[in-house]
Each structure stands twice: as C-alpha cells, then as structure tokens.
Amino acid sequence: NAIHMAPIRHTDCIWEYLSRATCRGQVQAEALAVIPVVQLHERAMTSEDPRSSFSDELLKQLLRWFKHEFFSWTNQPKCHACSGSTTYAGGSQPTAEEQRGHAGRVEVYTCTACNATTRFPRYNHPGKLLQTRTGRCGEWANCFTLCCRSMGLEARLASDWTDHVWTEVYSESLGRWLHCDSCENAMDAP
C-alpha cells in the first residue's frame, strides 16, 4: 500500500493535538486563538459553491484560509540579517531551543549578499508551527491537521512513498475520508 497513516516520524507531534484533555488541549486552544472561526463560519454560510454539508464547507473554508492567509511555503529561507537570497550550505544539529520545537534536523543557508548564516529548523511540534507559520509539506500538513482537530474535525496525517504528507478529514455526510492538501488548497482531489 502506497499510503501510510501517521508516519512514525510524525507520531510524537500527533499526540500534541489528538486530545483536548490535559496539556495537549493547550495546543488546540492555541490553534483556536489564531483561527478566525467566526469569519470561516460566515464564509461557509455564504459560499457561492457550497459543499454537501456545512461541516464539509467549513473544512473547505479552513483549507482556503490556511493556504492563502496563514501559512507560507519555504524553499530557501531569506537571510535573517538582510533579507537577501540564500544558498544551501549543509545541515546542522538542532539547538536545545530548536529541539523543544521537535526539530529533528536543521538546514543551514548562507546569504549571497552579506554572507550571514541562516538556520531553517524543520519543526515537527504543531504548536511551534503555529508560531513560525512556514515550512514544506510536512510542516503544512502537521499544522493544518492541528487546525482541523481544534475545530472538532476528525483528521489524520497521511503520506505516500514519495514522502509527500497531507491531511485526511473524515466527512460524516459522505461517509469517507477526504484528501486535504493544504499546500495546494486541494480538497478531495488526490
């Protein structure tokens, strides 16, 4: 099977958003604090092309907001000193602070203008991703799954053999899982 639910490398972060109880609920509360819940409900109610259920339409609006208003894609980070372009210089071990955000590895970039070094920690903690709001497909899916769970949607991480990661959300009205690729704002279009 080419699809694997909740890949092993993501299991630590999954526990951070599965439960609303105890300290894990704190991460969901942090997500709800940044999600414009009322605005998304209004958008869902006034959609010109609504989905079959309000819950599915709300998911569509959450996906759109996440892609266009909240998270950003990072190929190569801008220089932290001058905002110039950078080139990949290699990898590094995460610092203690980066490890608290569950960074398993760090990419290091050198500025082409000022020669400063910029670190790009690959964070896996969904709460940290709410703060950084940037990354690649793994970070996108991880943070979007947290947002879905925080909104009361049954959601899970999925990946394929190419190492692409996305979110699947269960649709009660359709009785099946919906593919949601937050990087692409793609819903039910694998």
Side-chain angles (χ1 to χ4, degrees):
N1 188 350
I3 298 176
H4 306 282
M5 298 307 134
I8 296 300
R9 70 177 177 275
H10 295 295
T11 55
D12 289 343
C13 68
I14 290 168
W15 293 116
E16 297 296 333
Y17 52 74
L18 279 180
S19 172
R20 289 181 186 229
T22 67
C23 64
R24 293 185 181 130
Q26 179 180 347
V27 178
Q28 288 188 359
E30 291 170 10
L32 283 174
V34 299
I35 299 169
V37 176
V38 172
Q39 184 180 28
L40 295 178
H41 276 262
E42 290 172 355
R43 289 179 185 177
M45 292 180 72
T46 59
S47 176
E48 293 181 14
D49 184 26
R51 300 288 296 195
S52 59
S53 73
F54 181 77
S55 181
D56 290 353
E57 182 60 33
L58 184 60
L59 172 60
K60 182 176 88 173
Q61 297 302 326
L62 178 64
L63 188 62
R64 181 176 294 145
W65 165 80
F66 191 87
K67 162 73 175 176
H68 297 292
E69 300 174 44
F70 185 70
F71 224 73
S72 66
W73 184 267
T74 297
N75 276 327
Q76 293 176 232
K78 294 288 184 187
C79 174
H80 71 86
C82 73
S83 297
S85 297
T86 60
T87 57
Y88 182 71
S92 180
Q93 292 296 314
T95 65
E97 175 66 24
E98 292 164 343
Q99 287 176 351
R100 281 191 283 282
H102 295 193
R105 63 189 170 98
V106 177
E107 297 171 7
V108 179
Y109 293 82
T110 303
C111 181
T112 57
C114 73
N115 214 32
T117 299
T118 297
R119 295 172 66 83
F120 180 53
R122 301 300 304 275
Y123 291 117
N124 284 305
H125 190 287
K128 183 65 175 179
L129 294 170
L130 287 173
Q131 297 168 11
T132 65
R133 299 182 182 194
T134 193
R136 300 197 189 108
C137 66
E139 290 93 347
W140 281 67
N142 189 347
C143 192
F144 183 69
T145 302
L146 167 64
C147 291
C148 291
R149 303 280 309 189
S150 300
M151 296 278 292
L153 301 167
E154 187 176 349
R156 64 187 184 188
L157 287 175
S159 69
D160 65 15
W161 63 274
T162 67
D163 200 33
H164 184 56
V165 184
W166 64 92
T167 303
E168 290 184 342
V169 179
Y170 191 77
S171 168
E172 289 290 336
S173 67
L174 298 175
R176 62 181 175 83
W177 292 93
L178 299 176
H179 168 273
C180 295
D181 191 332
S182 54
C183 301
E184 304 293 332
N185 187 27
M187 182 173 167
D188 206 21

